[in-house]
Amino acid sequence: MTGEESLRPQSLMLTFLGDQVLGRDVCVYSGSVIDVFARAGIGEQATRSTLTRMVGRDLLRRQREGRRMYFGLTERSEAVLRDGAQRIWRAGAVNRRWDGTWTLLGFSLPESWQRQRHDLRSRLTWSGFGPLFNGLWIAPGEVDVSALVAELGLSAHVKVFRAHADTGMDIGRMIEETWELSELADRYEGFAGRWQHWEDDLPDAGDALVLRLRLQTEWLQIVRRDPRLPVEHLPADWPAEPAEKTFRTVHERLSPLAEEASERLLDLVPARARA
C-alpha cells in the first residue's frame, strides 16, 4: 500500500485545518471543504461524514452563519495540530541532539488484562518506545508518559526510569533488535520516490493545494511512526535526511500556488467566542 492510498479523510482534514485554520481564529465553510476534498477525489458524502464524526469526537465545532454552516477548532484539535506542527517543523526527522539518556518503562499486568496490555503497547509504540524485553520498553531521550499511563488507568502497574547505557554496550545492535528499522526505512524511501519529481516539476495551480495536503499528511504519518533514534547509532545510509529534504523542498515549491488557491476557494469567517 502506498502512502497516498493509506491517507484517510480525517488525516487529510486535520492537515487542511492545520494549514488553513490553526492560529487564525477563523471557521471554514463546509462547502469550501467539500470543494477542496472533491479535488482530492473524496466525495461529498464522505467529507460530510468526516466533519460530523470529528464534531462527535470533539475535534471540530460548528458555527452557523445565516444558512451556512462553518467549522472551527476545539481545544483538543488545536493540541493535536500543534503537536503535528512540532513534529514536522521543529523536531524534524533526524535526531542529532540526543544526550545519551533513555527512558525505560517496565510494566506487569495480570494475564487476563489482554486489552489493557494491547492498549498500553500501542500507545507506547506511538510514543517512540520499543520492546527491549517483554515487559520492559525503551525510548530515546526523556519521554513523559505520566498522562498516557494515567489515562489508561495503569499507574499502579507501571514503573518509569531514566538511564544511560553502560560503557561497551552495543547501542546500534540494541536498536536493530528493538525497532523495525527496515520498515521505517522503506517508508522514508517510498516517500522520497513518490515526491522527488515535484522538486523540479510544478503542478497546475488548481492541483497545488491538494498536493500540499497529501504531502504534509503523508509526511506526518511517517514521522509520527519514527521513534527519533539517535542518528549516530543508525545505519550510515539512513534515508530520513534525504526524505526530509524532499519534503521541505516540495512544500516550499507548492506553497505559493497552494496559498493562491486557498485564497480563491475558501470562505472563512471570524470564530465567535464559545459559550
Side-chain angles (χ1 to χ4, degrees), residues 48-106:
R48 290 190 183 277
S49 295
T50 300
L51 291 169
T52 300
R53 284 196 302 272
M54 291 177 71
V55 170
R57 297 181 61 197
D58 191 34
L59 290 169
L60 283 178
R61 66 184 184 92
R62 295 185 177 98
Q63 178 172 307
R64 184 174 290 280
E65 300 284 341
R67 300 179 63 182
R68 290 190 164 192
M69 186 64 72
Y70 292 75
F71 290 85
L73 300 178
T74 63
E75 288 185 8
R76 183 182 179 197
S77 55
E78 284 187 5
V80 169
L81 294 173
R82 292 190 191 285
D83 177 70
Q86 163 73 22
R87 288 303 305 266
I88 290 177
W89 300 112
R90 289 184 286 281
V94 181
N95 185 357
R96 294 189 178 87
R97 295 190 294 272
W98 182 62
D99 65 359
T101 302
W102 297 93
T103 297
L104 292 170
L105 183 146

Side-chain angles (χ1 to χ4, degrees), residues 33-53:
V33 181
I34 289 166
D35 186 8
V36 171
F37 276 55
R39 294 163 186 262
I42 297 170
E44 179 176 345
Q45 187 57 47
T47 301
R48 290 190 183 277
S49 295
T50 300
L51 291 169
T52 300
R53 284 196 302 272

